[in-house]
C-alpha cells in the first residue's frame, strides 16, 4: 500500500482549470472494493468539463476527479463483499444506482434520477491511483482480456446499448454518423450483431480510415454537402436506404441527414449530444414512420462486453492510439482536445504501463 498522500488524481476545479493533485486513499465501505487503478481512457465529456465546467445541467461546483472509462486491480474488499478478492483484475461500470427505484426494478437503472456516475458532478471519477467503487459494479476480467480492453468496455457499452435500441440484426444495413470513438464502437458492434453493410460519415479522413480498419464497408468524407446530399450519397453507396441510422455527433446537420437517409419504417438512434434545441425535419420522419430513439449511457452491458472480448468475437484494441503515464495527464488532455488519434489511455499504475 502507498503511504497517505500518494493518491495522485486528475481534478477539474472550474472551466479551464485542470490540476494534478494528491487525494487521500479512500477506505472501502462494507459493499465496496478499493482498487489500484491501471488504465483509464479520456472521454469527450472529461475534456468538456475541463473546457466548459459543465455539460447541460451538470455543473462543476466543487473540485471533481475526472475519468470513467476504467479498469484496475482489487487491493482491499469490504466486509460484505464475497465475489471479489485482492488481486482480481476488474472493469468498472461507472453508473451505480443509489436506490432500488422503479427504473432499477424494470432493469433500466441507467435512467434512475439519483444514480451515482463517475465524473459527473458532484460525483468523483476514477482518474487516480486509488479508487473505491461498489463491488457489484466491478466485473472480473478473464486472463485473456487486457486492462485496456477492460477500460474500453465503457465506450463499447454505448455501442452495445445503441445497437440493441436500434434493433440491429442479421443483414441490417446501417448508417453511422461520426467516426469518433463512439461511432467506431457502433461500427464494431453493428458488424458483430450481423449488419451486412455499414457506411460511416465524418469530416476527418484519418478517422474514416480507422472506421475502415474496424469493419466499416463504406466511408464518406463530408465536406459541405447538404443533409439531403449526404443522405443521397449513403443510399447510392449502400444500394438502398439503410434501415438503421446511429447518429453519434449531436450536430444538427447530421441529425437531419440521419432522418433523410433512414428508409421508411426504419429507426434512427440519437447517441451524440449536441445543443438542447435542434431543428429537424420531423414531419419527414413522421409520415415515413421513421422511429427516433434516444439512448442514455447503457445498462446491463458489462457481462455481454466481457464475453465478446474474451471470446475474441470483437477487437477494440485498434481504438487506443495514444498512451500517457498519469503524471503526464495534462499533456494527454491537451492531445485529446486537439483531436489527435482516437482513444487516449492514461496509465495510473507507475509499476505497470502494459496494455
Amino acid at each position: 500500500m502507498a503511504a497517505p498522500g500518494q493518491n495522485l488524481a486528475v481534478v477539474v476545479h472550474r472551466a479551464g482549470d485542470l490540476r494534478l493533485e494528491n487525494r487521500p486513499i479512500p477506505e472501502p465501505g462494507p459493499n465496496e472494493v478499493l482498487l489500484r487503478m491501471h488504465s483509464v481512457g479520456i472521454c469527450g465529456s472529461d475534456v468538456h468539463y475541463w473546457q466548459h465546467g459543465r455539460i447541460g445541467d451538470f455543473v462543476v461546483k466543487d473540485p471533481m476527479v475526472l475519468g470513467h472509462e476504467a479498469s484496475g486491480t482489487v487491493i482491499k474488499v469490504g466486509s460484505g463483499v464475497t465475489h471479489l478478492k485482492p488481486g482480481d483484475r476488474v472493469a468498472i461500470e461507472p453508473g451505480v444506482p443509489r436506490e432500488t427505484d422503479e427504473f432499477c426494478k424494470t432493469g433500466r437503472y441507467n435512467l434512475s434520477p439519483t444514480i451515482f456516475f463517475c465524473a459527473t458532478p458532484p460525483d468523483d471519477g476514477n482518474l487516480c491511483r486509488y479508487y473505491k467503487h461498489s463491488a457489484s459494479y466491478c466485473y472480473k476480467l478473464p486472463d485473456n482480456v487486457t486492462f485496456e480492453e477492460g477500460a474500453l468496455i465503457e465506450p463499447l457499452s454505448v455501442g452495445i446499448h445503441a445497437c440493441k435500441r436500434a434493433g440491429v440484426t442479421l443483414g441490417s444495413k446501417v448508417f453511422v454518423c461520426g467516426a469518433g470513438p463512439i461511432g467506431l464502437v457502433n461500427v464494431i458492434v453493428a458488424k458483430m450483431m450481423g449488419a451486412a453493410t455499414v457506411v460511416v460519415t465524418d469530416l476527418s479522413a484519418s478517422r474514416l480510415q480507422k472506421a475502415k480498419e474496424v469493419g466499416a464497408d463504406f466511408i464518406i468524407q463530408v465536406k459541405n454537402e447538404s443533409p439531403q446530399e449526404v443522405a443521397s450519397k449513403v443510399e447510392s453507396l449502400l444500394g438502398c436506404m439503410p434501415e438503421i441510422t446511429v447518429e453519434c455527433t449531436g450536430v444538427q446537420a447530421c441529425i437531419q441527414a440521419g432522418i433523410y437517409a433512414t428508409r421508411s419504417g426504419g429507426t434512427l438512434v440519437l447517441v451524440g449530444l449536441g445543443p438542447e434545441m435542434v431543428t429537424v425535419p420531423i414531419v419527414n420522419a413522421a409520415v415515413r414512420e421513421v422511429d427516433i430513439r434516444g439512448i442514455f449511457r447503457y445498462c446491463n452491458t458489462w457481462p455481454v462486453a466481457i464475453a465478446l472480448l474474451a471470446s475474441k468475437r470483437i477487437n477494440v484494441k485498434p481504438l487506443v492510439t495514444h498512451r500517457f503515464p498519469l503524471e503526464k495527464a495534462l499533456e494527454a488532455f491537451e492531445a485529446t482536445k486537439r483531436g489527435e488519434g482516437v482513444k487516449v489511455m492514461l496509465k495510473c499504475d507507475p509499476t505497470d504501463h502494459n496494455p
Side-chain angles (χ1 to χ4, degrees), residues 148-275:
E148 284 187 359
E149 288 176 297
L152 288 166
I153 290 173
E154 196 280 340
L156 179 61
S157 286
V158 176
I160 293 170
H161 192 54
C163 287
K164 278 185 171 177
R165 293 269 294 156
V168 178
T169 187
L170 291 171
S172 295
K173 293 179 176 62
V174 179
F175 168 30
V176 176
C177 298
I182 295 301
L184 296 175
V185 293
N186 274 283
V187 172
I188 291 168
V189 174
K191 293 296 282 189
M192 207 286 310
M193 288 174 73
T197 43
V198 176
V199 58
V200 183
T201 54
D202 200 279
L203 298 167
S204 161
S206 61
R207 292 204 159 186
L208 287 169
Q209 278 311 121
K210 185 63 80 168
K212 287 282 277 190
E213 191 183 327
V214 300
D217 299 281
F218 303 106
I219 53 175
I220 299 171
Q221 187 174 5
V222 179
K223 293 190 167 69
N224 46 16
E225 296 88 342
S226 71
Q228 290 96 330
E229 286 168 341
V230 171
S232 173
K233 283 190 171 185
V234 169
E235 182 178 2
S236 63
L237 270 181
L238 286 176
C240 61
M241 295 171 82
E243 301 104 325
I244 289 162
T245 298
V246 185
E247 206 300 300
C248 300
T249 71
V251 174
Q252 176 171 289
C254 298
I255 300 171
Q256 293 170 352
I259 289 176
Y260 289 129
T262 308
R263 84 182 239 193
S264 299
T267 303
L268 166 66
V269 175
L270 301 176
V271 182
L273 293 176

Side-chain angles (χ1 to χ4, degrees), residues 8 75 142 245 281:
L8 194 64
I75 54 174
T245 298

Side-chain angles (χ1 to χ4, degrees), residues 58 106 127 136 141 152 167 189 229 232 258 272 307 320-321 324-325 355:
F58 295 105
T106 56
L127 192 38
S136 298
L141 291 172
L152 288 166
V189 174
E229 286 168 341
S232 173
V320 181
T321 52
F324 290 83

Side-chain angles (χ1 to χ4, degrees), residues 29-316:
N31 299 309
E32 295 176 325
V33 290
L34 179 65
L35 303 166
R36 181 170 60 243
M37 300 305 296
H38 187 284
S39 296
V40 181
I42 298 179
C43 172
S45 68
D46 294 318
V47 175
H48 204 277
Y49 280 123
W50 162 41
Q51 289 295 295
H52 304 282
R54 67 185 300 156
I55 294 178
D57 295 334
F58 295 105
V59 181
V60 177
K61 292 175 180 165
D62 298 300
M64 177 182 80
V65 180
L66 290 172
H68 60 266
E69 306 178 358
S71 62
T73 303
V74 176
I75 54 174
K76 194 172 185 180
V77 301
S79 57
V81 178
T82 55
H83 72 290
L84 292 171
K85 64 186 185 306
D88 284 346
R89 301 161 61 252
V90 297
I92 301 164
E93 180 171 1
V96 180
R98 284 188 167 94
E99 56 182 308
T100 308
D101 57 18
E102 68 212 271
F103 297 104
C104 294
K105 288 174 184 173
T106 56
R108 301 182 75 176
Y109 57 86
N110 56 313
L111 302 179
S112 174
T114 61
I115 197 166
F116 166 92
F117 198 89
C118 292
T120 295
D123 303 330
D124 280 326
N126 44 34
L127 192 38
C128 49
R129 294 243 196 266
Y130 297 96
Y131 170 74
K132 70 171 184 179
H133 198 68
S134 166
S136 298
Y137 291 80
C138 292
Y139 299 83
K140 197 169 170 180
L141 291 172
D143 292 341
N144 69 341
V145 177
T146 67
F147 280 114
E148 284 187 359
E149 288 176 297
L152 288 166
I153 290 173
E154 196 280 340
L156 179 61
S157 286
V158 176
I160 293 170
H161 192 54
C163 287
K164 278 185 171 177
R165 293 269 294 156
V168 178
T169 187
L170 291 171
S172 295
K173 293 179 176 62
V174 179
F175 168 30
V176 176
C177 298
I182 295 301
L184 296 175
V185 293
N186 274 283
V187 172
I188 291 168
V189 174
K191 293 296 282 189
M192 207 286 310
M193 288 174 73
T197 43
V198 176
V199 58
V200 183
T201 54
D202 200 279
L203 298 167
S204 161
S206 61
R207 292 204 159 186
L208 287 169
Q209 278 311 121
K210 185 63 80 168
K212 287 282 277 190
E213 191 183 327
V214 300
D217 299 281
F218 303 106
I219 53 175
I220 299 171
Q221 187 174 5
V222 179
K223 293 190 167 69
N224 46 16
E225 296 88 342
S226 71
Q228 290 96 330
E229 286 168 341
V230 171
S232 173
K233 283 190 171 185
V234 169
E235 182 178 2
S236 63
L237 270 181
L238 286 176
C240 61
M241 295 171 82
E243 301 104 325
I244 289 162
T245 298
V246 185
E247 206 300 300
C248 300
T249 71
V251 174
Q252 176 171 289
C254 298
I255 300 171
Q256 293 170 352
I259 289 176
Y260 289 129
T262 308
R263 84 182 239 193
S264 299
T267 303
L268 166 66
V269 175
L270 301 176
V271 182
L273 293 176
E276 184 179 5
M277 291 292 178
V278 291
T279 302
V280 294
I282 201 74
V283 173
N284 178 290
V287 298
R288 297 192 302 110
E289 297 192 5
V290 172
D291 290 349
I292 299 175
R293 297 185 151 202
I295 72 155
F296 186 61
R297 298 171 181 157
Y298 33 66
C299 57
N300 306 303
T301 53
W302 258 252
V304 175
I306 289 170
L308 291 171
L309 290 166
S311 64
K312 305 302 176 192
R313 290 293 306 279
I314 59 171
N315 180 19
V316 293

